[in-house]
Amino acid sequence: IIERFGDSEDQSLAHQVTLARLGRGAALGALDPNAEAVDAYVEVIALFPQDAPPVLLNLIARAEAGRLLTLEHLEDRERAESAYEQLLSRFADSEDPEVQEQLARAMVRRAINVGQGGEHVEAFEMFRSIVEMFGDSPHVAVLEQAAIAAGNQASALSHLDRDEEMLAVYEAAVARFENRQEPEIRDQVAIALFGRAKTLARLDRKREEIEAYGDVIDRIEGADRPIQRT
């Protein structure tokens, strides 16, 4: 497909070629995240370095995110940082829900990787930014990423001995999302409730800890399926 129709100006064919290039990058990344996978994503991005037809925006965002995550896997920090900044600058203001989902997922993964690298303050700030950007999204898939970020924002503080602040962040996450009925978001609320209970234990607030674990039990027993840890 790429060799035969790669130079076509027909928008429908261009869409299929972009899908093929993106699929090639994803397949290479799944098989063995390496420089070849990065190059495949770059090929997609290079097709539309500035503006892209609306129908292709989600594909370009997926390519940008795929490049970033592959570079993260390769521990190519300098290029990963550059890819992250490019992803943000290009799509941070997008109102397309599919693009927002790609952006939010990539931002969450980036923040998790930063935290796993020991940069907990930076990870905390990144998670906080994700919640601010997407915490009121009307799109469930995007909102789920904000809920994941909210819990991880609190977790980042556990490495910084900021337990009182961590408790406040967990409580804010619960308050923000507790009335949502979507299973994926309810999972994140349950995880935040459990984190809150553990934080109360760290603070030696026994009575509140017991009540908090009761809240976790009530949430889990009220779920229509097992809680999924993200």
Side-chain angles (χ1 to χ4, degrees):
I1 295 174
I2 296 170
E3 292 181 359
R4 185 168 183 177
F5 301 111
D7 297 326
S8 175
E9 295 181 1
D10 181 275
Q11 191 170 94
S12 178
L13 284 175
H15 183 268
Q16 296 303 316
V17 170
T18 303
L19 274 175
R21 292 182 188 274
L22 184 60
R24 178 170 175 268
L28 286 167
L31 183 64
D32 179 22
N34 54 29
E36 188 177 359
V38 174
D39 290 342
Y41 286 124
V42 169
E43 285 182 4
V44 177
I45 298 165
L47 292 172
F48 302 98
Q50 298 298 325
D51 297 325
V55 70
L56 296 179
L57 274 179
N58 181 44
L59 300 181
I60 305 303
R62 286 169 60 188
E64 293 269 18
R67 175 177 63 164
L68 168 62
L69 298 180
T70 304
L71 289 168
E72 292 273 12
H73 182 85
L74 295 172
E75 299 183 354
D76 189 336
R77 295 183 178 180
E78 183 174 346
R79 292 178 68 197
E81 180 64 29
S82 176
Y84 181 68
E85 293 300 328
Q86 183 171 329
L87 180 67
L88 282 181
S89 66
R90 186 164 189 179
F91 295 110
D93 295 328
S94 175
E95 296 182 0
D96 184 298
E98 292 185 341
V99 171
Q100 287 182 349
E101 181 184 356
Q102 295 299 326
L103 178 61
R105 287 183 181 278
M107 291 177 71
V108 167
R109 175 47 55 189
R110 168 73 173 165
I112 289 173
N113 288 341
V114 167
Q116 290 176 341
E119 300 175 50
H120 302 297
V121 173
E122 183 179 352
F124 169 80
E125 294 297 338
M126 292 174 73
F127 286 126
R128 183 175 60 80
S129 295
I130 295 165
V131 176
E132 289 179 356
M133 287 178 66
F134 302 113
D136 296 317
S137 174
H139 308 294
V140 174
V142 178
L143 195 64
E144 180 188 356
Q145 297 305 307
I148 292 171
N152 278 283
Q153 180 187 356
S155 297
L157 294 170
S158 67
H159 300 280
L160 301 170
D161 296 322
R162 291 158 61 177
D163 290 352
E164 291 285 357
E165 188 177 353
M166 179 168 59
L167 179 62
V169 173
Y170 273 129
E171 290 177 341
V174 172
R176 186 163 204 157
F177 300 108
E178 65 180 341
N179 293 323
R180 302 293 305 201
Q181 298 303 309
E182 298 85 359
E184 297 83 359
I185 297 176
R186 287 173 60 88
D187 288 351
Q188 299 308 315
V189 173
I191 292 167
L193 284 168
F194 188 67
R196 176 176 178 270
K198 291 196 298 182
T199 306
L200 287 166
R202 286 167 64 118
L203 293 168
D204 199 28
R205 290 161 59 172
K206 296 297 184 184
R207 185 176 298 277
E208 292 173 88
E209 176 193 352
I210 293 170
E211 293 175 354
Y213 279 120
D215 290 340
V216 176
I217 293 169
D218 289 344
R219 172 69 63 162
I220 293 173
E221 288 183 341
D224 56 7
R225 63 177 179 75
I227 300 298
Q228 302 296 311
R229 179 85 185 183
T230 302

